[in-house]
Amino acid sequence: MTMMVGEKWTILSPVARPPVREAAEGAGSFKLGRSLAGVRVGLEVDYAWVSYPTVIDEWEKLLTADGAVPRTLWVERNRSDAPREPNEVKAEVEEWSKLIDCGVVGLGN
């Protein structure tokens, strides 16, 4: 097939839009029951997900705008040049948990 000068082609995407689903009441969410003002919200981050720093930056801005005090813990669990002991990471997370009122942890958050 030869394309002529000025001829236009339409390329269709084979990706379907995901279905819209209503979340069950209370499923997957947490209600604090009060304003976020003054609440120390912990954000635990590891380096496994490359774009996660961008997400955390946005959450920190939004939480701060709502009056919360974000306390972000950056955890580097495993590095090839200096592997960390699991107890070392656990101790770091336990210390951080004493500084917050609630937290968002893990890649599934």
Side-chain angles (χ1 to χ4, degrees), residues 8-107:
K8 292 185 179 183
W9 288 41
T10 301
I11 300 173
L12 303 176
S13 172
V15 180
R17 291 190 175 158
V20 176
R21 295 188 177 118
E22 294 292 325
E25 187 175 331
S29 65
F30 171 78
K31 295 188 191 295
L32 187 59
R34 65 182 174 106
S35 162
L36 280 176
V39 175
R40 298 169 302 170
V41 180
L43 302 169
E44 181 193 358
V45 185
D46 63 36
Y47 294 91
W49 182 17
V50 178
S51 61
Y52 207 53
T54 303
V55 173
I56 292 300
D57 286 345
E58 189 63 24
W59 283 356
E60 286 175 336
K61 288 176 197 171
L62 294 170
L63 287 164
T64 300
D66 284 343
V69 181
R71 296 193 185 260
T72 304
L73 172 65
W74 293 87
V75 178
E76 192 158 0
R77 294 187 192 315
N78 294 309
R79 291 185 354 207
S80 59
D81 61 332
R84 297 184 70 191
E85 292 293 322
N87 286 339
E88 181 184 359
V89 174
K90 182 179 178 187
E92 188 176 7
V93 171
E94 284 178 3
E95 278 303 307
W96 166 77
S97 71
K98 295 174 187 174
L99 304 173
I100 61 174
D101 300 312
C102 62
V104 180
V105 298
L107 292 176

